[in-house]
Amino acid sequence: MEEIPLVDLKAQYAAHRQAIDAAIARVLGHTGFIGGPEVRAFEEAFAAYQGTRRAVGVASGTAAIFLILRALGIRPGDEVITTPHTFIATVEPLIALGAWPVFVDIDPATYNLDPDQIEAAITPRTRAIMPVHLYGQMARMDAILDIARRHNLAVIEDAAQAHGATYRGKRAGQWGVAAAFSFYPGKNLGAYGDAGAVCTDDDALADEIARLRDHGRASKYEHAVIGYGERLDALQAAILGAKLPYLDAWNAARRRIAAAYTAALRDLPGVIPPATLPGAEPVYHIYCIRVEAARRDRILAALHERGIGAGIHYPLPLHLQPALEFLGARRGDFPHAEAAARTILSLPIYPEMTEAQVERVVAALREVLAAVSTRA
Ligand SMILES: *Cc1c(COP(=O)(O)O)cnc(C)c1O
């Protein structure tokens, strides 16, 4: 039986091997592994793609979030409003700076930060709102920006899963003061290692982040401020540069696969396909359905037995993570995020997935739903 992984990085490399190998060979040829023309060229190309004045290449998505917060002057005691239904890297950087994540529950239909609950969480210490465009669908940025303007808060976008996504015709990174992108290998645009970028229209902020990522350098051995070692390296930049021209086609393929899944699953009892926010054009980094909590884990196991690489993104909300116990949150504080964590299930999705593979996943899910009883 053919296995269908959650993501298939080998299929993509096989399809674009020549361009990627040539990019790697170019860097090996000149051995300029740090900085240089590949990094500059990719930064320019990615800024043009996202529609922002600047893109600054950094070492990871986590570094991108960290450097935005640091450059904005987020300090110990500051509060940043964000979602509990995300990967932990959304909040690690602000905790590293001594700031405090303040969680606001999600909209259960879109899994993104619910703007209607944000104002109740604002205090005199609130400095910023950090929505995450989860699964590749943008948060309700118009509503979030309205609130931020009224309360004089910065909006930082965690766009690690949303390369190319739009809301009301504008891309991630064009809404907030800055957006953080991850090029972790499995992301919609993935490097062959760790990499990330900050997109912004603010030249001063971009310059400050460029300085901070490179040890606060004013010149080779003169350091204007204490910075970090968080650069994007030339090999990753060259690989990303070779892959970027295909991102739109890959995102279109993801949308086609998502549409095929949703059409096939719409009338399947016990399955809720993902909802699209009006005005949003998601890029389906993850295709996430909901099933009954009582049998979710057995459905997942039965899919794995059939060779289907389903997953859960994410099984434990941040406010219930052992590492964040010090925040003092309790079970029940964010009911929509907690319900999501118990019921969500991610199906395989990657641009090279064939129609036949989508049909096989749907057939396996049908079979499993019939076999796994609703009783625990
Ligand atoms: C992947 C991811 C990050 C972190 O990116 P890295 O490149 O792995 O550091 C942050 N936030 C979200 C929502 C992510 O999915």
Side-chain angles (χ1 to χ4, degrees):
M1 190 174 56
E2 183 211 3
E3 303 218 345
I4 303 179
L6 190 62
V7 292
D8 187 348
L9 300 181
K10 288 196 188 89
Q12 191 170 84
Y13 177 55
H16 300 284
R17 184 170 199 146
Q18 269 189 327
I20 293 166
D21 286 0
I24 293 171
R26 205 169 57 242
V27 179
L28 296 182
H30 65 56
T31 66
F33 295 115
I34 301 294
E38 281 82 15
V39 173
R40 268 196 306 279
F42 175 68
E43 287 176 335
E44 277 169 24
F46 194 63
Y49 178 82
Q50 283 301 136
T52 52
R53 284 181 53 83
R54 301 280 294 277
V56 183
V58 297
S60 68
T62 310
I65 297 170
F66 179 86
L67 292 171
I68 294 169
L69 293 166
R70 171 69 213 282
L72 288 174
I74 297 294
R75 295 167 7 123
D78 287 347
E79 294 178 358
V80 177
I81 290 174
T82 190
T83 166
H85 184 59
T86 180
F87 183 58
I88 195 160
T90 302
V91 302
E92 283 171 319
L94 63 97
I95 291 166
L97 287 167
W100 200 257
V102 173
F103 295 120
V104 163
D105 210 354
I106 56 168
D107 170 346
T110 62
Y111 304 104
N112 277 328
L113 192 60
D114 180 2
D116 299 338
Q117 299 190 49
I118 289 176
E119 279 192 290
I122 294 173
T123 76
R125 289 170 171 264
T126 309
R127 293 284 315 278
I129 308 172
M130 185 156 51
V132 179
H133 306 312
L134 201 71
Y135 306 151
Q137 169 156 259
M138 289 186 60
R140 256 173 65 203
M141 293 306 288
D142 46 358
I144 291 170
L145 253 66
D146 271 354
I147 296 164
R149 257 185 233 110
R150 279 205 302 281
H151 296 270
N152 195 26
L153 305 173
V155 174
I156 301 153
E157 299 175 68
D158 180 342
Q161 303 188 0
H163 322 67
T166 63
Y167 178 57
R168 300 197 190 284
K170 277 166 71 174
R171 287 197 160 153
Q174 297 184 317
W175 294 86
V177 59
F181 288 87
S182 164
F183 305 120
Y184 185 83
K187 299 284 161 85
N188 287 32
L189 179 63
Y192 287 178
D194 278 311
V198 173
C199 285
T200 181
D201 284 332
D202 184 331
D203 281 319
L205 187 70
D207 289 341
E208 180 61 9
I209 289 170
R211 187 165 76 152
L212 287 171
R213 76 176 164 184
D214 191 24
H215 305 288
R217 275 200 167 96
S219 63
K220 191 165 169 75
Y221 291 119
E222 188 195 348
H223 306 274
V225 292
I226 291 296
Y228 306 89
E230 297 284 14
R231 297 173 298 233
L232 170 67
D233 72 70
L235 271 171
Q236 300 306 335
I239 292 163
L240 289 164
K243 291 177 75 172
L244 181 60
Y246 304 103
L247 179 55
D248 276 337
W250 290 333
N251 283 341
R254 286 174 182 273
R255 286 191 192 109
R256 278 198 302 277
I257 293 160
Y261 269 139
T262 298
L265 299 177
R266 187 170 280 133
D267 300 319
L268 196 58
V271 171
I272 303 173
T276 306
L277 176 72
E281 215 182 335
V283 291
Y284 296 99
H285 173 58
I286 282 168
Y287 184 86
C288 178
I289 62 169
R290 274 192 202 244
V291 296
E292 289 139 286
R295 56 178 183 159
R296 193 269 312 270
D297 292 346
R298 283 175 297 141
I299 292 171
L300 181 68
L303 286 171
H304 288 170
E305 276 164 28
R306 285 163 175 77
I308 309 293
I312 299 171
H313 301 89
Y314 299 88
L316 194 60
L318 295 191
H319 66 287
L320 302 179
Q321 290 286 352
L324 295 173
E325 212 180 293
F326 70 93
L327 295 174
R330 288 206 201 98
R331 201 167 285 280
D333 282 356
F334 305 103
H336 291 310
E338 291 171 29
R342 286 193 300 266
T343 55
I344 50 174
L345 185 68
S346 311
L347 298 181
I349 190 163
Y350 47 90
E352 297 75 16
M353 213 178 160
T354 63
E355 254 172 69
Q357 286 174 317
V358 173
E359 280 164 23
R360 228 178 64 63
V361 174
V362 171
L365 184 61
R366 260 180 212 289
E367 226 177 84
V368 163
L369 285 166
V372 175
S373 80
T374 51
R375 267 178 301 142

